[in-house]
Amino acid sequence: MKRRFCLISLTITAVLGMTACGDAIPNMTRDEMQSMSEYATVTMIKYDAHRRSRLVDLELVVQAEAERKEQALRQQQEEEAARAEQEASGMRPAEDTPVIDSAGVAEAETFTMEQVLNLPEGVSISYRDMEVCDSYAEEEGLFSLPATEGKKLLVLKFDLYNGSGQDQTIDILTQGIAFKVTANGNYTRRALTTMLLSDLTSYKGTVAAGNGVEAVIVMEAENSVAESISSLRLDLNNDSKTCTIQLF
C-alpha cells in the first residue's frame, strides 16, 4: 500500500510540475483532479510487479523451459548408458563394426586378376615368365620397343585363355586400369603403355573359344636392378577393385 501511495504522490507531483512554472500550485477543477487521479492509478497498476500480464505467463514459460532441459538431460543419460553397455559387451554398433581377422587387423576385400580386369565369364589369365632385354618386338608384329639408354625392359608374359565355349571380346583399353610393377620389394614403376598388339594394359581383341593368346606387361628398370631381380610383384587398380599378385 505504501508503494502505491508513493507512486500516486510522485505522479501528482510530476503532473503539477508540468502544468506551470514557479512554486505556486495551480487551481484545478474537480474534473481535472479526477482525471489526474485516474492517470496516477493507471500508472501505478502498469508498474506494479504483483499484477502480471495474462498475454504471457512468465511462470509457465520458466516451467516449460525447465521441463525441456530435464527431458534433454534424460535422453543424453539414456544414450550414454546404451553406449556403455555396448562397449562392456565388446561390440560396437553394427554400422561401425569392421570385419577383422584373428590378429585384429581389418580385412580388405580381395579380388582376383580376372575380376579387376573385368574379363568375361570363362576367360582366365595366368603368369608365365619374364624376359629382360634391351628391346622387345612381337614375333608377328611390326613394332619394336627399345629401352632407354642405361635401362632395360622387363617384359612380363601372361596367357589369356578362353574356356567359355564361345568367342569372347576382351576390352581392357577403355577401363583405365592402373598397372604397377615392383621389383626386389622396393623398386616400383608404372607399366609402360606401348603400341604392342599384345600389351595387356591396352589390350582390345577377341579370343576364340578354346584358344589362348599371349599378353605382356612392360616395365623399364635401371641396369643394376634388371640384372638382379630377386622378386616381382604386380599391383592392379580399377576404381574400387584392387589386386596384388606376387609373381615370384
Side-chain angles (χ1 to χ4, degrees):
M1 293 295 294
K2 291 181 179 180
R3 182 179 179 183
R4 293 182 180 179
F5 285 131
C6 289
L7 288 171
I8 292 173
S9 299
L10 291 172
T11 305
I12 292 173
T13 302
V15 172
L16 291 176
M18 290 184 292
T19 56
C21 297
D23 297 331
I25 299 176
N27 295 325
M28 291 187 291
T29 65
R30 180 180 295 276
D31 291 339
E32 290 174 338
M33 291 292 293
Q34 180 67 27
S35 297
M36 184 180 66
S37 177
E38 291 177 355
Y39 175 78
T41 302
V42 171
T43 303
M44 178 195 69
I45 293 174
K46 179 179 180 181
Y47 293 100
D48 187 354
H50 297 286
R51 299 179 65 88
R52 295 179 179 173
S53 171
R54 295 299 177 186
L55 295 178
V56 179
D57 194 322
L58 296 180
E59 290 184 353
L60 293 178
V61 173
V62 173
Q63 182 180 357
E65 180 66 15
E67 291 177 354
R68 185 188 66 79
K69 290 182 178 180
E70 182 180 356
Q71 182 179 1
L73 178 60
R74 185 164 54 250
Q75 181 178 356
Q76 180 181 357
Q77 290 173 343
E78 292 176 354
E79 292 176 353
E80 291 177 353
R83 191 179 302 111
E85 183 178 355
Q86 290 173 342
E87 292 177 355
S89 63
M91 291 294 294
R92 295 182 179 180
E95 62 271 18
D96 296 331
T97 304
V99 178
I100 59 174
D101 59 16
S102 58
V105 180
E107 293 181 348
E109 187 175 2
T110 58
F111 296 92
T112 64
M113 192 171 180
E114 285 83 1
Q115 290 173 323
V116 177
L117 295 175
N118 287 323
L119 295 180
E121 187 70 26
V123 177
S124 60
I125 185 169
S126 58
Y127 173 71
R128 188 169 75 239
D129 58 23
M130 178 192 68
E131 178 182 346
V132 179
C133 53
D134 295 319
S135 64
Y136 180 78
E138 298 167 309
E139 293 182 1
E140 299 179 359
L142 301 176
F143 180 75
S144 176
L145 178 66
T148 304
E149 184 177 355
K151 296 183 179 181
K152 291 187 181 297
L153 300 178
L154 275 61
V155 183
L156 285 58
K157 299 180 180 181
F158 296 83
D159 289 319
L160 272 171
Y161 178 73
N162 178 10
S164 67
Q166 58 183 353
D167 294 354
Q168 294 287 2
T169 299
I170 300 173
D171 183 5
I172 300 175
L173 175 65
T174 60
Q175 295 187 49
I177 302 174
F179 294 77
K180 291 192 300 183
V181 181
T182 300
N184 301 338
N186 57 11
Y187 186 89
T188 302
R189 295 291 184 274
R190 282 185 174 272
L192 300 178
T193 300
T194 73
M195 295 179 65
L196 298 170
L197 297 178
S198 60
D199 189 344
L200 182 63
T201 67
S202 58
Y203 188 87
K204 187 172 184 179
T206 300
V207 181
N211 289 341
V213 297
E214 181 183 79
V216 299
I217 296 176
V218 183
M219 167 191 172
E220 216 175 29
E222 280 78 4
N223 289 336
S224 57
V225 176
E227 291 171 357
S228 58
I229 300 295
S230 59
S231 65
L232 207 60
R233 186 181 78 236
L234 175 64
D235 292 283
L236 307 179
N237 189 313
N238 184 5
D239 293 332
S240 60
K241 297 179 183 179
T242 60
C243 176
T244 298
I245 305 170
Q246 192 66 42
L247 301 178
F248 67 83

